[in-house]
Amino acid sequence: LDGAGWEQSIKALAYARKAHEGQFREGSGAPYIIHPISMACDAIACKGSTDDLIAVILLHDVIGDCGKSLSDLPVNENVKNGVRYMTLEPLYNEDKPEAKKRYYRELLLSPLAIICKAFDRNANLNDMYGFDKDRIIKNIMETHTQLMPVLKEAKYIYPEYSDMLQTI
């Protein structure tokens, strides 16, 4: 990150490491920070990664999992916007299925969020050992019915990211 001059990602990594300190990944028991770092490495390996994308990936769980707010994040507004769309927050009187449906549609409002979500789901699907069969099936079905249609649409909305989305 330093060699590439990616200032947003450097700030994001330091912040995420501290925010996720003491947290562990369900299933594997690995330190939680390994999850966003692994996603960032996968994204960097794909053509088209940017400083802001990697910063969103590194910070994608700090709002929902660490009790932080967007205003706490030491990054630019573009990165904060991507993190905001990555955070599922049900609206007043909205049940969970409605919230998820809205969440997936709103991912399309930020190319950084939709790409981050694709890497996140890929990582999560590859890290489900130790989960019961019903939870695995639920994750696969949600990917198939909610995320995949949005990813297909994103390829047309953001043609500059279509190769990366296709690879994921």
Side-chain angles (χ1 to χ4, degrees), residues 1 8 39 94 139:
L1 299 177
Q8 299 303 305
M39 288 171 52
E94 186 177 48
N139 277 286

Side-chain angles (χ1 to χ4, degrees), residues 2-166:
D2 189 40
W6 284 2
E7 294 178 23
Q8 299 303 305
S9 296
I10 292 167
K11 292 175 190 177
L13 178 59
Y15 190 87
R17 286 181 68 187
K18 188 171 182 172
H20 289 297
E21 194 170 41
Q23 292 180 331
F24 298 92
R25 225 21 202 159
E26 189 177 353
S28 70
Y32 195 89
I33 192 63
I34 299 300
H35 168 62
I37 289 174
S38 176
M39 288 171 52
C41 289
D42 289 344
I44 290 168
C46 287
K47 183 180 175 182
S49 288
T50 65
D51 184 18
D52 284 0
L53 173 61
I54 300 306
V56 170
I57 288 170
L58 292 168
L59 294 170
H60 80 276
D61 279 334
V62 300
I63 305 299
D65 293 352
C66 304
K68 305 297 182 184
S69 70
L70 283 175
S71 62
D72 293 334
L73 303 182
V75 291
N76 67 37
E77 291 304 313
N78 192 38
V79 173
K80 288 179 183 181
N81 190 50
V83 173
R84 178 172 69 89
Y85 284 113
M86 276 297 297
T87 305
L88 173 62
E89 292 182 359
L91 301 174
Y92 179 74
N93 283 337
E94 186 177 48
D95 64 20
K96 193 168 184 175
E98 290 172 326
K100 282 219 173 183
K101 185 175 182 178
R102 178 185 48 79
Y103 167 78
Y104 280 105
R105 295 302 306 163
E106 287 181 353
L107 285 171
L108 288 169
L109 299 174
S110 167
L112 300 177
I114 192 68
I115 293 167
C116 180
K117 187 62 182 182
F119 279 110
D120 185 38
R121 184 52 56 99
N122 184 57
N124 289 340
L125 290 174
N126 284 300
D127 194 22
M128 290 195 295
Y129 48 90
F131 293 174
D132 64 56
K133 180 181 172 183
D134 290 339
R135 185 167 176 191
I136 292 170
I137 291 169
K138 179 182 165 279
N139 277 286
I140 292 169
M141 292 307 298
E142 184 176 303
T143 301
H144 178 72
T145 61
Q146 296 192 56
L147 180 58
M148 290 304 294
V150 173
L151 289 175
K152 288 177 184 176
E153 190 174 343
K155 287 177 19 180
Y156 297 101
I157 296 171
Y158 304 110
E160 67 273 27
Y161 295 112
S162 64
D163 288 346
M164 184 181 286
L165 289 165
Q166 182 64 38

